[in-house]
Amino acid sequence: MRIATWNINSIRARVDRAVSWLERSQVDVLALQETKCADAQFPEEPFREAGYAVAHTGNGQWNGVAIVSRLGLADVQVGFDGQPGFHKDPEAEALPEPRAIAATCGGVRIWSLYVPNGRDLADRHYGYKLEWLAALRGQAEGWLAADADAKIALTGDWNIAPFDEDVWDPSFFDGKTHTSGPERDAFFAFEKSGFTDVARPHTPGPGVYTYWDYTQLRFPRREGMRIDFVLGSPALAASVTGASVDREERKGKGASDHAPVVVELGD
């Protein structure tokens, strides 16, 4: 079984590219982030024609997550219990954003997650990010407590670079989000809860990135960040046989600013 995660940065702009990649890569389940469309706008038909079922949650031009699978989609869940919300107006009701969706595919519980960016260390969005991660971790601990043998994959754009080797220049990020101590602590807390970064052992750094900003020629200058991950439960981690980052998919006209991360599972 091959699973992957990919921040597609607008599925309507890149649906042909996504479907073509699925057919070439022979990935069974793909978690997508930043679909940037409402449910009614998601281009399902090309995926269905290629043999993939679709589960999606989105409400407009921001955020949005999906799972596409040729192994079925069982027990689809939009959001997680206790998921915090956000509103740009601090006086308005903070409703949960479309940042999390789950489905069981081929016996694996797949979560497609788009962790809040944080924006700036002084921004309310940064506190929201940490609250969101803490709430997710609490739920993830509960899932493992309920079934220690469950195969769970927390996949997506985590908007965190856990190690200095995960960014091209650590000094560039001093005083910025993505590499701050609290964000890294929040990421490592999942490992303390039993989840493992299952791709890193097969894709060791430094210089193995999953994201390159469109500006400043970041991609050709190899100035990237590793912020897309698959965190696996113990049972899932034990079944991993390989992993890769498809850097080639960041190339060419109309590419997303992220590359797919692929994880291979055995029996």
Side-chain angles (χ1 to χ4, degrees):
M1 179 176 176
R2 291 166 64 85
I3 65 175
T5 182
W6 191 4
N7 180 320
I8 197 67
N9 193 12
S10 178
I11 188 60
R12 287 180 291 173
R14 298 182 172 85
V15 58
D16 292 342
R17 188 161 186 151
V19 171
S20 176
W21 181 81
L22 279 172
E23 293 174 338
R24 294 196 313 274
S25 65
Q26 290 299 295
V27 160
D28 299 297
V29 184
L30 172 61
L32 293 167
Q33 300 85 44
E34 270 202 286
T35 57
K36 295 184 176 180
C37 65
D39 291 344
Q41 297 172 313
F42 191 97
E44 289 191 24
E45 191 57 31
F47 289 101
R48 295 192 186 281
E49 290 177 355
Y52 292 81
V54 176
H56 174 260
T57 181
N59 58 14
Q61 62 180 324
W62 308 112
N63 308 317
V65 286
I67 299 172
V68 299
S69 168
R70 62 181 182 183
L71 301 178
L73 291 166
D75 301 319
V76 174
Q77 178 181 342
V78 173
F80 53 86
D81 293 343
Q83 179 178 328
F86 184 81
H87 196 288
K88 62 181 179 180
D89 180 356
E91 302 300 321
E93 183 180 4
L95 298 174
E97 299 175 303
R99 292 182 175 275
I101 191 169
T104 299
C105 312
V108 178
R109 189 64 171 167
I110 306 285
W111 279 90
S112 180
L113 304 166
Y114 181 41
V115 175
N117 179 280
R119 299 177 182 169
D120 183 87
L121 298 184
D123 197 291
R124 289 175 48 247
H125 210 258
Y126 180 72
Y128 165 53
K129 179 179 190 174
L130 297 178
E131 181 186 6
W132 200 94
L133 287 163
L136 175 62
R137 180 202 176 189
Q139 289 299 306
E141 286 182 339
W143 301 329
L144 282 184
D147 184 0
D149 296 323
K151 289 185 176 181
I152 305 171
L154 306 178
T155 81
D157 177 356
W158 288 74
N159 271 315
I160 300 171
F163 299 99
D164 282 352
E165 71 176 23
D166 295 334
V167 295
W168 81 91
D169 180 5
S171 66
F172 177 85
F173 292 90
D174 286 347
K176 298 182 176 70
T177 59
H178 290 57
T179 64
S180 72
E183 289 168 290
R184 287 178 167 180
D185 288 346
F187 184 90
F188 294 134
F190 284 86
E191 296 189 337
K192 294 177 182 177
S193 297
F195 289 83
T196 304
D197 177 356
V198 298
R200 192 180 295 269
H202 302 277
T203 57
V208 177
Y209 304 133
T210 64
Y211 165 82
W212 301 259
D213 197 310
Y214 289 129
T215 65
Q216 305 296 315
L217 298 175
R218 296 293 187 208
F219 184 67
R221 293 169 61 178
R222 298 183 177 272
E223 296 178 348
M225 304 172 69
R226 185 175 190 147
I227 57 176
D228 302 86
F229 300 97
V230 177
L231 299 191
S233 63
L236 183 126
S239 70
V240 173
T241 59
S244 60
V245 176
D246 191 351
R247 187 178 184 276
E248 293 298 305
E249 198 56 35
R250 177 59 176 81
K251 297 179 179 179
K253 183 179 180 180
S256 169
D257 46 3
H258 292 250
V261 178
V262 181
V263 172
E264 300 175 16
L265 308 177
D267 295 332

